Amino acid sequence: MRFSAIPYPTTMASSGSNSLIWFRKGLRIHDNPALDYAARGSTVLYPVFVIDPRYMEPDPSAFSPGSNRAGLNRIRFLLESLVDLDLNLKKLGSRLLVLKGEPTDVLFRCLSEWSIKKLCFEFDTEPYYQSLDDKIRKYATAAGIEIYSPVSHTLFNPADIIEKNGGKPPSTYQSFVKLAGEPSWTSSPLVSHLNRLPSVGNVGSFPITEVPSIKELGYEDTPEDENTPFKGGESEGLRRLKASIENKEWVANFEKPKGDPSSFIKPATTVLSPYLKFGCVSSRYFYQCIQEVQRNCKKHTSPPVSLLGQLLWRDFFYTVAFGTPNFDQMKDNKICKQIPWKNDDELLAAWRDARTGFPWIDAIMMQLRKWGWMHHLARHCVACFLTRGDLFVHWEKGRDVFERLLIDSDWAINNANWMWLSCSSFFYQYNRIYSPISFGKKYDPNGNYIRHFLPILKDMPKEYIYEPWTAPMSIQVKAKCIIGKDYPKPVVDHNLASKECKQILYEAYELNKRLKGNLSGEDLENLRNKQEEDKRPPKSKRLKQTTID
């Protein structure tokens, strides 16, 4: 893969000035335009990461160890990524300066006390960072500080795509791909690996620290088997990328709908999502690596199912999220159908805590809790089960659990996928339901995945492993697992619950269509009441249900 410099803005900072690179995502050296530009023409460079209490401070009231926003697995992954970044910076004669506090307050002080003339940070589409960046830009502009904030977390600039589409984001993947075309940067090699960085200047009275440990942040250490097996950092991400790309046949034949969600010893995907989320691996470099493999293959899959297609899906979701107000909620979200979801905390907790009584669902949720990651088809199953498939709990509730526990939790992608899987947006075939019994069985008939993540069921015969409540009592006794005592009974009757979900979705869709999406809280409450009054759908409105086995 070729690397070299890319063009930069014509307004260059004066030679010898002090520069600051503010790391948030983009925790890497390779293909990091903000870092490369910060280093140019600078005698002194301050590489800064701010420990944001909003993201990192322990929250003892949360349902799992971690902060208010993130579970411990993701916090640990981030810290490992920062340690790796620091090591890689040190190889270039620099180091990472770790500060703690509200980011804007910290940055204002840095810019002032260190006499910064050039501030660089990767562009971020998330509303939280957009708000922070607006404040930083105003301050820096007033102080006469040059700002460089390139788009390098995604393949395309979402704002450019939205402008091309007449000021609104494209509504479908196909229209996005057609509109986007080939990324403009592909005509040139990517930013080079740097040979040397300017030295770090005098930090004055700032309380600079090394990357803190989990304990130093105030968390208890957890047993090794409770931690994710995926380690953070650019070095590990590039190693994983290289291993994936070396299997050229696998890259060429990759098809998203396929793959084994029960494969956990060797996951049936690249597991690059957390490295892309934190920017440990450049999506642009990944894109070029895939292109290089495809150029040398006679035949390969194409978007949307190909590996390249998955990166385009990522950009599509980023673009829609960036251009849609209230993208992370149902209310006042123009692309989201208004549906009378339940707010049932007991059902939510059963799902979240792997206590639904459906082993396939519970095993996936246990893998999520322990590893902070699971296969995309496994995610589909549990999201469908919580929302439109069985429990009819609000997708925002499930989104919050994923946002906390996933090491690859990404604001745009997580919200988009939950709207998709709940049939609230993007995908509307709500009669296609993932079976919580037969879907997993076709991949793993012996139930090895379930036995690993739910050891209470390890001795259950394979005939009953997916439906242990059907096992005779003699079998349950022999397996040392009494249903209702050692492992819960199912929280719902799947066949009945899925029909009820389908019926209320039908009615909600009809009302959304009639009112053009402008449903009031009263409209939603009336739908809920109607469903409670008449659980059995009228024969005239019964729709064929497709269970995805």
Side-chain angles (χ1 to χ4, degrees):
M1 184 60 59
R2 295 182 304 133
F3 283 101
S4 74
I6 62 172
Y8 288 95
T10 55
T11 55
M12 296 292 290
S14 59
S15 179
S17 65
N18 295 354
S19 298
L20 189 150
I21 167 75
W22 179 23
F23 287 100
R24 296 96 65 86
K25 296 170 189 168
L27 304 179
R28 63 181 185 271
I29 305 298
H30 77 280
D31 184 31
N32 192 330
L35 175 61
D36 197 35
Y37 187 63
R40 292 192 178 202
S42 301
T43 305
V44 169
L45 174 63
Y46 294 89
V48 168
F49 183 87
V50 181
I51 299 287
D52 187 344
R54 174 181 180 270
Y55 189 88
M56 305 285 264
E57 198 168 87
D59 180 6
S61 67
F63 69 81
S64 72
S67 70
N68 174 258
R69 308 289 300 182
L72 201 53
N73 269 325
R74 189 157 82 255
I75 292 173
R76 183 181 285 109
F77 190 96
L78 171 58
L79 294 179
E80 290 168 350
S81 300
L82 293 174
V83 167
D84 187 65
L85 176 63
D86 184 41
L87 288 172
N88 289 334
L89 287 170
K90 285 174 178 174
K91 292 175 185 176
L92 299 173
S94 186
R95 63 168 288 205
L96 187 64
L97 305 175
V98 179
L99 299 161
K100 185 176 182 180
E102 199 283 320
T104 53
D105 291 343
V106 173
L107 262 292
F108 291 165
R109 186 180 166 194
C110 289
L111 295 175
S112 174
E113 291 195 18
W114 293 342
S115 301
I116 300 299
K117 299 300 180 186
K118 184 167 58 171
L119 170 64
C120 302
F121 53 90
E122 185 178 64
F123 182 79
D124 198 307
T125 58
E126 286 189 35
Y128 176 68
Y129 285 104
Q130 285 281 299
S131 176
L132 286 183
D133 294 354
D134 284 346
K135 295 175 186 176
I136 292 292
R137 285 176 189 277
K138 287 177 184 176
Y139 179 92
T141 301
I145 298 169
E146 179 192 4
I147 300 169
Y148 182 57
S149 182
V151 175
S152 55
H153 189 66
T154 50
L155 304 176
F156 301 91
N157 184 338
D160 290 346
I161 300 294
I162 291 169
E163 185 180 355
K164 279 185 183 180
N165 200 45
K168 61 181 181 179
S171 59
T172 66
Y173 175 85
Q174 290 76 13
S175 60
F176 168 82
V177 172
K178 184 177 180 180
L179 195 68
E182 188 76 6
S184 59
W185 50 264
T186 56
S187 58
S188 305
L190 295 175
V191 180
S192 64
H193 287 288
L194 302 172
N195 295 320
R196 190 79 182 165
L197 287 172
S199 61
V200 176
N202 187 343
V203 297
S205 60
F206 270 90
I208 304 295
T209 69
E210 296 288 335
V211 177
S213 67
I214 282 290
K215 282 188 175 181
E216 287 168 339
L217 284 177
Y219 296 101
E220 298 279 337
D221 252 339
T222 51
E224 189 63 31
D225 65 349
E226 295 292 319
N227 300 340
T228 180
F230 308 114
K231 304 303 178 185
E234 177 182 19
S235 300
E236 175 62 18
L238 289 176
R239 185 201 66 77
R240 185 172 286 278
L241 172 59
K242 182 181 178 183
S244 297
I245 293 299
E246 281 178 348
N247 189 344
K248 293 179 172 52
E249 184 180 352
W250 181 84
V251 172
N253 296 321
F254 182 90
E255 281 191 70
K256 176 67 181 280
K258 298 181 179 179
D260 183 355
S262 69
S263 178
F264 62 94
I265 295 174
K266 186 180 179 183
T269 68
T270 63
V271 195
L272 281 169
S273 54
Y275 303 93
L276 292 169
K277 178 264 186 305
F278 282 108
C280 300
V281 169
S282 158
S283 62
R284 309 192 311 175
Y285 178 49
F286 189 11
Y287 185 93
Q288 286 202 341
C289 287
I290 298 167
Q291 278 195 322
E292 193 167 282
V293 170
Q294 291 184 347
R295 277 196 295 268
N296 294 308
C297 291
K298 291 182 179 178
K299 186 179 179 183
H300 59 78
T301 54
S302 300
V305 299
S306 65
L307 209 52
L308 209 61
Q310 300 315 296
L311 285 176
L312 293 171
W313 271 113
R314 178 177 181 266
D315 262 66
F316 168 56
F317 283 156
Y318 264 89
T319 302
V320 180
F322 183 63
T324 305
N326 305 309
F327 186 73
D328 59 347
Q329 61 189 50
M330 179 177 79
K331 187 179 179 182
D332 299 324
N333 181 348
K334 288 185 177 180
I335 71 165
C336 185
K337 289 197 181 296
Q338 304 299 296
I339 295 168
W341 302 109
K342 295 177 186 175
N343 286 306
D344 191 317
D345 290 339
E346 287 187 15
L347 285 178
L348 174 68
W351 173 83
R352 180 193 71 201
D353 300 337
R355 295 185 287 104
T356 68
F358 290 89
W360 172 243
I361 300 298
D362 292 342
I364 295 169
M365 295 306 292
M366 189 57 71
Q367 184 184 22
L368 169 61
R369 185 174 286 266
K370 288 191 171 187
W371 287 24
W373 183 91
M374 64 281 209
H375 189 274
H376 61 270
L377 287 179
R379 301 181 194 207
H380 291 189
C381 288
V382 295
C384 176
F385 183 86
L386 179 71
T387 57
R388 65 184 171 86
D390 290 80
L391 305 187
F392 213 71
V393 171
H394 204 310
W395 64 263
E396 290 177 20
K397 301 284 188 178
R399 181 275 317 280
D400 289 345
V401 173
F402 271 29
E403 181 180 312
R404 176 175 189 79
L405 296 180
L406 282 170
I407 57 173
D408 59 8
S409 175
D410 184 295
W411 186 82
I413 297 170
N414 192 30
N415 280 292
N417 277 327
W418 274 96
M419 279 189 273
W420 183 296
L421 269 301
S422 65
C423 282
S424 295
S425 191
F426 304 112
F427 177 76
Y428 304 105
Q429 296 179 35
Y430 57 82
N431 59 320
R432 289 177 59 80
I433 294 170
Y434 288 89
S435 167
I437 299 164
S438 57
F439 187 81
K441 192 183 293 186
K442 72 177 182 179
Y443 294 98
D444 182 22
N446 193 48
N448 294 329
Y449 177 80
I450 292 170
R451 296 176 202 282
H452 179 84
F453 288 104
L454 299 176
I456 190 65
L457 291 168
K458 65 182 175 63
D459 295 323
M460 189 65 68
K462 69 176 184 178
E463 293 82 5
Y464 304 106
I465 190 73
Y466 285 89
E467 302 172 87
W469 63 91
T470 66
M473 183 54 67
S474 59
I475 297 292
Q476 295 181 35
V477 170
K478 188 176 179 181
K480 304 182 189 66
C481 182
I482 307 301
I483 304 306
K485 178 187 173 186
D486 303 309
Y487 181 72
K489 295 177 180 178
V491 291
V492 292
D493 179 319
H494 168 62
N495 290 328
L496 179 61
S498 61
K499 287 176 182 176
E500 291 174 353
C501 288
K502 179 190 59 160
Q503 179 60 26
I504 194 168
L505 275 169
Y506 169 78
E507 293 174 358
Y509 269 44
E510 289 296 303
L511 192 57
N512 272 269
K513 183 179 179 181
R514 192 163 72 247
L515 299 180
K516 298 182 179 179
N518 297 313
L519 278 68
S520 66
E522 185 179 354
D523 292 326
L524 293 176
E525 190 59 34
N526 289 339
L527 271 179
R528 287 190 192 96
N529 293 337
K530 184 177 184 301
Q531 181 67 8
E532 289 301 316
E533 290 169 7
D534 185 11
K535 291 285 188 180
R536 298 184 65 83
K539 288 183 180 179
S540 61
K541 291 183 179 178
R542 288 185 183 227
L543 301 177
K544 183 180 178 182
Q545 176 177 312
T546 305
T547 298
I548 306 175
D549 295 326

